[in-house]
Amino acid sequence: MGRLMESDFEETTIERLENLGYTYAHGQELYQRGERERNQEVVLRGRLESFLQKTYSMIPDSEISGLANMFILNEGVGWQERNFNFHQKSVKGVEFVYEDKNGEEKVQHVYPIDWETPENNDFLVVNQLAIEGRMPRRPDVIIYVNGLPLIVFELKNPNIENVTVYDAYRQIRNYTHDISQLFEYNAFTVISDGIETMHGMPDAAYDFFASWKTIDGVNVDNNVANTMRTLIQGLFQKERLLDYIRNFIVYLDKGESKVKIGAKYHQYFGVNFAVKETVRATNPDGDRKIGVMYHTTGSGKSISMLFYATILSKHRDLGNPTIVVQVDRNDLDEQLHDTFSEGYSLIGHIHHAQKADELRDILKGEGGQIVFSTIEKFRLKEGEAKHPVLSDRSNIIVISDEAHRTQSGFDGGYAAQLRYALPNASFVGFTGTPVNLLGNNTEAIFGHVIHQYDMAQAVEDKAVLPLYYESRMIPLDFDGADIDSEYANLVDEVGMEDEESQSYKVKWAALEKVVGTPKRLNRLSRSIVDHFNQAADPVQKGMIVCMSRSIAVRLYDELKSHDDCPEVEIIMTGNVSKDPVSWREQNPGSNYAHIKTKEEQEEVKSRLRDTEDPLKLVIVVSMWLTGFDVPNLSFLYVDKPMKGHNLIQAIARVNRVFPGKEGGLIVDFIGIATSLKEATNQYTGDGSANDMDIDIDQAIGIFHEKLEEVRTYFGELEHRDDWRSLSKVNRDDLIGDLVNQQLNGESENFVEACTKLEKAYKLVKHTDGVLPFADEVTLYQMVRIQVKKYLTSQQSSPKASQTVEERLNAMIDQHLETKAPVDIYQVAGIEKPDISILDEDFLKDMEEKEQHEDLRLKLLKKLLEDHIQVNFKKNSPKEKEMRELLEKTLSDYHNRIIQAADVLRVMVDMKKGVDTEADFRKELGLSDEEAEFYKAVTSLEMDAFDNKFLADLIHKVVKELKKNLSQDWTSEHRKSIYAKVSMSVKHVLMREGIKGQQLQFITKAIMKEAEEQYKDWPQQA
């Protein structure tokens, strides 16, 4: 039997849709039946007219063609604009004016789809429909509803290895140029290679396509097989598909353009479950507690709230409800408010209550409003003991954003006043923080958890990017490896205490003094500049988090003192009575002062978002650590103790998806690792498997794999590594020849292989092992850009690849000189745990929260382990002895048998022991491997040999022994080799005057050690 064909996958997909009640026709049949006359036509007019005629029988037949035209002909420049107009008309309907048979003018509201009763619509699935456009094309599968082509599938053969879902994506993108008329009516597209199946908008970047991983919204399927089954059963049931198109697609108005967004599966089901709970909670017997929606920070919570509010506002069971979107911070308020404002085409008008009186007036009015307000607008006026009732209607829904912060204060606080004002309102909480971190009364206030979408699942789904962690702690004692113990204790305690307590404030102030010393800030600034210049690509930006406003200003000055520091600005609150005057004066080389107006803050924000803008870094204290969304922000430099949801909110600034971005990197200068582990442990759901497989070694492995793949396109290549040494003319000729070579070969595949290499390279380019390949990678990218440029010029729209082009050009400029990385922690000998914060290795020692060792001991343990490792061979008796002693000491400390001071004493003694051993070995001139033989012989406790004599003996034995080794020398079938090695050892010993029983014992001990050390000869010799 031959290999399965692409058409088999197509037919299976069609059959799955037929099982849901869709009818099927081959593209050719539509001609034969007269449903299409010309290849340019993409709407099946007959089916649309037939639906309109049947549904709106009051409209005369003679008017139906004109009515159909209202949906077929859409205004706008370019297919995206026409698509927006079509979507608005089909979802909201149009007013159609006509004359009835008596000649009277009538108005009828008309929809091209019966949204309420799915079965009244005509669902048709068509394959291989030939369409004539700028070029003739034949999409794999199109789904028609009432003759309107709403969904396009592009499928790739699952049984051909080198054909991927990305090929399907690229094909859809090309279709938007070649047969753009098809996409005027498109709701969304589906791409699949059988393994990966994703849905997304045809003009979106590939990174924004997503998998649909559940059929019922409860059971998530992370398996790679059957992804098409899950998508079709989970989204394409008729009622669900119409619900999705009508309620879960929004065009966000970004000024010059509209960005079309469709819900991901967690948003679709989470919102629908929340709507169901809202109807339950608001009915006469309801408990007014709708519940809590926990969708991890960064996974589209604002958009989910927009979909939720829109559905409620139109819901017939809620009778024109009033929706209060209640937040507790101005910066958060604005981000959410901006999302609702940009979604105007979906949600309509929203009120933003700027003053408490304005809020009172709106809430006293009739229903149907959507109101934004901060919680403190529910404050009392003078003379009021409690808030007057504004409305006792039961169809008022209060949506609390970041529920953990907004609902405290029941002892007469704002949250209590809100309930006095709206006694019959129902409450729902949306949060990016897991409920077990929210405080005990969360469920008492809001009710149960409606839907949970945790960080581990979001990373698995690529809804957010993985976060990596790198420690660059700056010890105070720069010359030695120890870290000032008081400082370490303070970081730990400040991270764990109640922020309102007096003791917390005292400790914070003490820590601030230590952290803000000039020497430390100078070192910090140098480290940040080196790290950012080394690791960032041209579109990436970074955020630095400081403990206080004064430290932020001093760090700014230190940063600016370095000639190679990128452009940087501070965003922080002002305090007129405490700010130095200089903070309000424009800084040299900047357009701003440190204390910025609201307009200036917005300007800085848009400059950070702009990948072309030279502003690269922003220093913050507490502003912008929540509700701040800059997708290309990739680095978070943390120099402030944080914990729990505050820490997670902060690090989520860098987990947003952005084309070409691999992940966010948290660079820790102050020691947040412990808090981070605790928080991320909480942030993964009960059943989550944290096998994210994202440690840096694996990333390096992927880089080498991609590098080898690109190398195959060139074969033997001269000047692969030293092309910079060529003259400019020769260099230009070399690149020109290589470009021609690729254009005459599989140029598109080469470009794609290079893209993958660049993505892999970006993650690991600052590591020592990858630095030597920088020039080679740069050479390939230069070739790739020119090849891509040529290919793009052959196509119609260079716009799609423009940002990639510019990014790569800038990347090449950046790499003309590769700088060596600076790792302050190398001084302390502590390895950087450069792994994902969801990785098991990072989380596993958090399982026993009670058994936290303090940061100081952890660092000392690491130092000592490294010290032992450097001085003793792995698994040698001495190494085992030392390691066991260390483990026992720490275990006793955990079990509270001994104090931290005892641990320190043991560690100091162990270090002395290791040093003594190392000195002794050095004195005798023994190498690592010889030292193990030396120990093997001295452990026999025979008559004492002179140390010098024994050292010389070992030198000679090892040298002779290694001459006679060969592969598999310890195997059963190579006994003769083993005997030969043993005999060579004996000969040396005998020559040195060793005989009798001593000869036997020493030979045996040496051979045993040789088997251990050289069993894999020659690989590990």
Side-chain angles (χ1 to χ4, degrees):
M1 184 182 158
R3 182 166 59 189
L4 286 166
M5 305 298 287
E6 195 170 298
S7 57
D8 291 311
F9 183 30
E10 197 175 288
E11 284 159 21
T12 312
T13 302
I14 290 166
E15 204 171 303
R16 289 186 191 284
L17 290 161
E18 284 183 291
N19 291 340
L20 295 178
Y22 290 56
T23 50
Y24 163 67
H26 189 280
Q28 203 56 40
E29 283 179 60
L30 297 177
Y31 276 111
Q32 291 159 359
R33 299 188 201 149
E35 290 201 49
R36 272 181 103 206
E37 289 175 13
R38 297 177 316 121
N39 274 3
Q40 285 86 345
E41 289 174 3
V42 291
V43 174
L44 304 177
R45 178 182 273 275
R47 287 176 183 255
L48 177 60
E49 290 184 358
S50 152
F51 166 80
L52 293 170
Q53 209 162 13
K54 184 178 73 188
T55 312
Y56 302 101
S57 52
M58 73 293 289
I59 297 176
D61 291 355
S62 57
E63 300 270 13
I64 291 293
S65 177
L67 175 55
N69 281 344
M70 290 187 78
F71 300 107
I72 295 172
L73 307 174
N74 302 290
E75 290 176 6
V77 180
W79 68 265
Q80 284 107 323
E81 211 175 297
R82 293 197 291 276
N83 178 254
F84 168 72
N85 287 323
F86 166 75
H87 184 82
Q88 293 300 104
K89 287 189 288 189
S90 58
V91 167
K92 298 187 173 177
V94 297
E95 297 287 312
F96 186 64
V97 181
Y98 66 96
E99 280 187 9
D100 67 8
K101 49 181 178 261
N102 302 323
E104 279 185 49
E105 193 174 272
K106 291 281 177 74
V107 179
Q108 177 64 40
H109 200 80
V110 177
Y111 298 93
I113 292 166
D114 185 337
W115 300 107
E116 303 294 334
T117 316
E119 288 307 323
N120 289 347
N121 299 288
D122 163 32
F123 286 79
L124 174 73
V125 52
V126 176
N127 66 331
Q128 300 303 321
L129 186 78
I131 301 173
E132 194 69 50
R134 218 173 52 86
M135 291 180 174
R137 293 285 176 247
R138 196 185 289 261
D140 289 335
V141 174
I142 300 174
I143 288 179
Y144 281 92
V145 178
N146 303 334
L148 298 164
L150 298 186
I151 315 275
V152 179
F153 283 68
E154 190 55 43
L155 311 173
K156 292 290 158 207
N157 191 339
N159 301 294
I160 297 180
E161 258 180 61
N162 58 355
V163 174
T164 66
V165 70
Y166 187 76
D167 295 324
Y169 165 76
R170 210 158 42 186
Q171 209 154 321
I172 289 278
R173 285 301 292 262
N174 285 328
Y175 285 167
T176 62
H177 299 294
D178 297 344
I179 46 173
S180 60
Q181 72 268 36
L182 176 64
F183 294 93
E184 190 173 314
Y185 310 95
N186 185 263
F188 61 91
T189 58
V190 174
I191 54 177
S192 181
D193 61 0
I195 298 298
E196 270 190 280
T197 301
M198 300 198 280
H199 64 101
M201 298 308 163
D203 58 340
Y206 178 68
D207 303 59
F208 295 114
F209 273 65
S211 304
W212 191 277
K213 290 197 171 178
T214 180
I215 291 171
D216 58 7
V218 179
N219 302 298
V220 174
D221 182 3
N222 281 320
N223 294 318
V224 289
N226 287 323
T227 53
M228 183 60 87
R229 176 184 67 188
T230 307
L231 174 87
I232 287 181
Q233 290 185 17
L235 178 56
F236 280 83
Q237 292 168 31
K238 292 177 181 178
E239 186 177 347
R240 205 172 274 174
L241 181 66
L242 295 189
D243 177 36
Y244 184 89
I245 294 171
R246 185 188 193 186
N247 294 317
F248 290 90
I249 290 174
V250 60
Y251 294 77
L252 293 183
D253 191 339
K254 298 288 185 182
E256 290 173 20
S257 63
K258 289 184 173 64
V259 177
K260 185 179 182 186
I261 293 174
K264 297 189 165 81
Y265 74 89
H266 68 275
Q267 295 172 305
Y268 176 81
F269 285 107
V271 167
N272 271 331
F273 292 157
V275 169
K276 197 172 167 190
E277 290 300 308
T278 308
V279 173
R280 173 198 59 74
T282 54
N283 77 31
D285 309 325
D287 60 3
R288 308 287 175 254
K289 294 176 186 175
I290 297 166
V292 181
M293 288 274 283
Y294 160 39
H295 282 188
T296 195
T297 304
S299 63
K301 188 161 56 75
S302 300
I303 300 280
S304 297
M305 291 165 85
L306 173 68
F307 290 139
Y308 172 68
T310 305
I311 294 171
L312 295 189
S313 66
K314 300 183 294 193
H315 204 292
R316 57 162 68 111
D317 292 345
L318 297 174
N320 207 18
T322 293
I323 298 163
V324 181
V325 184
Q326 177 249 306
V327 292
D328 75 330
R329 289 191 184 175
N330 287 328
D331 54 345
L332 208 65
D333 191 11
E334 271 168 28
Q335 192 225 332
L336 190 58
H337 184 262
D338 287 350
T339 301
F340 273 61
S341 301
E342 288 169 356
Y344 173 81
S345 63
L346 181 70
I347 199 163
H349 181 66
I350 52 174
H351 294 277
H352 194 171
Q354 304 283 6
K355 295 191 170 66
D357 284 344
E358 187 186 346
L359 177 66
R360 290 187 177 196
D361 289 343
I362 294 169
L363 293 176
K364 280 178 191 165
E366 289 305 305
Q369 314 280 21
I370 294 174
V371 194
F372 266 70
S373 171
T374 49
I375 183 82
E376 67 273 9
K377 299 282 189 313
F378 287 93
R379 60 180 171 267
L380 300 178
K381 289 184 178 178
E382 207 173 324
E384 288 179 338
K386 69 178 198 179
H387 205 293
V389 172
L390 298 177
S391 173
D392 59 5
R393 284 186 293 117
S394 61
N395 65 344
I396 295 178
I397 291 118
V398 179
I399 303 175
S400 294
D401 183 27
E402 284 313 330
H404 56 274
R405 287 199 297 262
T406 51
Q407 290 303 319
S408 56
F410 272 83
D411 50 348
Y414 298 136
Q417 302 307 338
L418 162 59
R419 282 163 167 73
Y420 294 142
L422 307 169
N424 294 319
S426 293
F427 290 79
V428 62
F430 276 74
T431 180
T433 307
V435 178
N436 53 1
L437 277 184
L438 295 185
N440 300 331
N441 60 355
T442 306
E443 293 205 16
I445 298 164
F446 294 106
H448 66 298
V449 176
I450 302 167
H451 191 251
Q452 171 170 308
Y453 186 63
D454 68 36
M455 192 191 284
Q457 188 61 48
V459 171
E460 169 84 24
D461 294 345
K462 302 183 179 68
V464 300
L465 294 175
L467 290 167
Y468 296 87
Y469 171 85
E470 184 175 321
S471 174
R472 284 192 163 219
M473 273 185 63
I474 302 181
L476 300 180
D477 171 15
F478 296 122
D479 304 321
D482 197 2
I483 286 177
D484 183 281
S485 56
E486 287 306 306
Y487 165 69
N489 285 338
L490 269 177
V491 171
D492 235 13
E493 288 167 22
V494 164
M496 299 301 149
E497 284 205 25
D498 172 23
E499 292 178 24
E500 296 308 310
S501 71
Q502 197 51 43
S503 106
Y504 171 87
K505 288 171 183 167
V506 171
K507 284 174 180 168
W508 184 275
L511 182 58
E512 207 180 302
K513 284 191 177 67
V514 175
V515 168
T517 59
K519 185 177 176 186
R520 187 179 177 280
L521 291 181
N522 178 269
R523 185 66 65 98
L524 175 65
S525 65
R526 185 67 263 167
S527 188
I528 290 172
V529 170
D530 286 345
H531 184 281
F532 187 81
N533 287 343
Q534 179 69 30
D537 79 9
V539 304
Q540 292 176 321
K541 308 287 174 102
M543 177 183 272
I544 304 162
V545 189
C546 290
M547 278 192 77
S548 70
R549 301 182 314 137
S550 58
I551 290 177
V553 172
R554 277 179 280 151
L555 179 61
Y556 174 89
D557 293 338
E558 289 288 353
L559 287 166
K560 298 292 275 188
S561 72
H562 303 299
D563 293 340
D564 55 344
C565 178
E567 198 174 321
V568 57
E569 287 295 341
I570 294 178
I571 294 292
M572 63 187 189
T573 54
N575 183 330
V576 180
S577 59
K578 292 185 179 173
D579 297 342
V581 175
S582 59
W583 289 8
R584 293 173 187 272
E585 293 167 351
Q586 189 176 332
N587 291 303
S590 167
N591 297 328
Y592 318 100
H594 290 319
I595 305 295
K596 296 173 176 60
T597 65
K598 220 161 185 47
E599 292 71 29
E600 287 171 335
Q601 288 175 20
E602 285 305 310
E603 195 176 300
V604 170
K605 194 183 286 183
S606 61
R607 288 186 62 197
L608 272 179
R609 282 197 184 113
D610 181 355
T611 54
E612 308 290 312
D613 195 286
L615 177 65
K616 296 289 184 185
L617 295 167
V618 62
I619 304 172
V620 302
V621 180
S622 56
M623 286 181 78
W624 286 12
L625 288 181
T626 53
F628 169 74
D629 197 8
V630 171
N632 52 319
L633 194 69
S634 305
F635 300 95
L636 189 77
Y637 298 102
V638 180
D639 198 41
K640 172 184 178 178
M642 290 182 280
K643 63 172 182 173
H645 57 252
N646 290 334
L647 176 56
I648 293 290
Q649 287 285 348
I651 64 175
R653 296 313 103 213
V654 292
N655 73 354
R656 303 301 200 266
V657 174
F658 186 77
K661 180 173 154 187
E662 286 293 295
L665 181 65
I666 303 145
V667 184
D668 174 15
F669 290 103
I670 201 163
I672 58 163
T674 301
S675 303
L676 192 56
K677 287 173 184 175
E678 283 195 326
T680 45
N681 232 16
Q682 299 269 6
Y683 268 67
T684 53
D686 304 330
S688 45
N690 295 328
D691 51 347
M692 293 290 146
D693 293 331
I694 326 177
D695 75 28
I696 214 77
D697 290 339
Q698 239 174 333
I700 290 171
I702 292 168
F703 162 75
H704 283 296
E705 186 184 305
K706 302 299 177 201
L707 182 62
E708 285 306 324
E709 192 178 325
V710 172
R711 282 176 174 172
T712 59
Y713 287 89
F714 292 98
E716 286 301 313
L717 176 56
E718 278 187 59
H719 306 298
R720 192 193 295 272
D721 303 311
D722 65 349
W723 53 270
R724 292 189 193 280
S725 63
L726 299 174
S727 70
K728 284 186 176 166
V729 170
N730 289 346
R731 188 191 295 184
D732 208 45
D733 289 347
L734 170 73
I735 292 168
D737 291 342
L738 295 176
V739 170
N740 283 327
Q741 180 187 337
Q742 294 312 319
L743 287 172
N744 292 323
E746 298 174 318
S747 47
E748 295 227 342
N749 293 346
F750 163 73
V751 167
E752 193 175 326
C754 267
T755 308
K756 287 176 181 168
L757 171 63
E758 187 222 351
K759 275 190 139 186
Y761 177 60
K762 273 198 313 205
L763 266 184
V764 297
K765 64 184 176 184
H766 63 292
T767 59
D768 292 346
V770 173
L771 280 172
F773 299 100
D775 283 359
E776 184 181 349
V777 173
T778 305
L779 176 67
Y780 298 151
Q781 297 304 343
M782 288 193 291
V783 174
R784 176 234 167 143
I785 285 164
Q786 294 194 23
V787 170
K788 177 80 174 168
K789 233 176 225 175
Y790 177 80
L791 295 176
T792 306
S793 68
Q794 303 303 297
Q795 297 162 0
S796 64
S797 168
K799 191 180 175 192
S801 57
Q802 187 183 6
T803 53
V804 179
E805 300 269 324
E806 287 163 2
R807 205 163 86 228
L808 290 175
N809 274 324
M811 183 186 120
I812 283 159
D813 295 343
Q814 182 201 17
H815 279 290
L816 287 174
E817 200 171 312
T818 306
K819 300 179 182 71
V822 174
D823 182 4
I824 290 169
Y825 235 19
Q826 273 175 354
V827 178
I830 292 171
E831 172 195 331
K832 289 187 300 187
D834 200 350
I835 53 176
S836 158
I837 64 168
L838 289 183
D839 193 282
E840 274 182 352
D841 291 342
F842 193 85
L843 291 170
K844 68 183 172 195
D845 65 345
M846 293 308 305
E847 285 164 10
E848 300 293 325
K849 279 204 318 197
E850 304 306 312
Q851 297 188 355
H852 250 9
E853 61 202 63
D854 86 357
L855 178 63
R856 184 168 44 132
L857 293 184
K858 197 157 203 178
L859 292 171
L860 286 169
K861 176 192 174 200
K862 183 69 201 141
L863 286 169
L864 192 50
E865 281 177 339
D866 287 357
H867 197 55
I868 293 168
Q869 201 173 330
V870 165
N871 287 288
F872 300 122
K873 186 164 183 285
K874 195 165 173 53
N875 295 327
S876 67
K878 192 75 180 169
E879 194 253 8
K880 280 181 187 163
E881 176 196 329
M882 286 285 187
R883 208 170 278 283
E884 280 164 14
L885 177 57
L886 182 59
E887 292 307 326
K888 182 182 183 313
T889 307
L890 288 168
S891 167
D892 287 349
Y893 170 71
H894 283 324
N895 298 327
R896 303 291 180 262
I897 297 166
I898 57 173
Q899 302 298 309
D902 301 321
V903 181
L904 286 176
R905 259 197 307 280
V906 174
M907 286 186 174
V908 169
D909 290 344
M910 285 175 74
K911 185 177 185 303
K912 282 179 187 161
V914 174
D915 291 345
T916 308
E917 173 83 20
D919 291 345
F920 173 68
R921 216 157 61 187
K922 194 174 174 186
E923 199 182 305
L924 292 173
L926 294 167
S927 70
D928 278 1
E929 55 189 292
E930 288 170 345
E932 297 304 320
F933 284 102
Y934 183 93
K935 284 179 212 156
V937 174
T938 51
S939 69
L940 295 172
E941 295 177 359
M942 297 180 152
D943 298 344
F945 290 104
D946 170 62
N947 286 342
K948 191 80 187 76
F949 166 79
L950 194 50
D952 287 345
L953 177 71
I954 293 295
H955 276 315
K956 290 168 185 168
V957 165
V958 172
K959 190 175 174 188
E960 191 60 35
L961 180 149
K962 286 166 83 170
K963 276 187 198 167
N964 292 286
L965 293 177
S966 66
Q967 201 162 0
D968 293 340
W969 68 282
T970 56
S971 304
E972 263 305 299
H973 65 286
R974 312 226 44 192
K975 282 184 176 168
S976 59
I977 308 284
Y978 188 89
K980 190 176 161 195
V981 174
S982 181
M983 190 53 71
S984 69
V985 171
K986 270 189 183 154
H987 282 157
V988 176
L989 296 175
M990 283 154 57
R991 274 203 305 273
E992 298 298 321
I994 293 167
K995 48 186 187 279
Q997 216 173 9
Q998 256 186 355
L999 176 66
Q1000 245 175 315
F1001 283 145
I1002 294 177
T1003 305
K1004 193 173 174 187
I1006 287 173
M1007 288 303 290
K1008 191 174 173 198
E1009 182 58 36
E1011 283 178 52
E1012 180 61 38
Q1013 283 208 50
Y1014 305 133
K1015 59 176 178 284
D1016 293 326
W1017 185 271
Q1019 289 91 331
Q1020 291 181 6

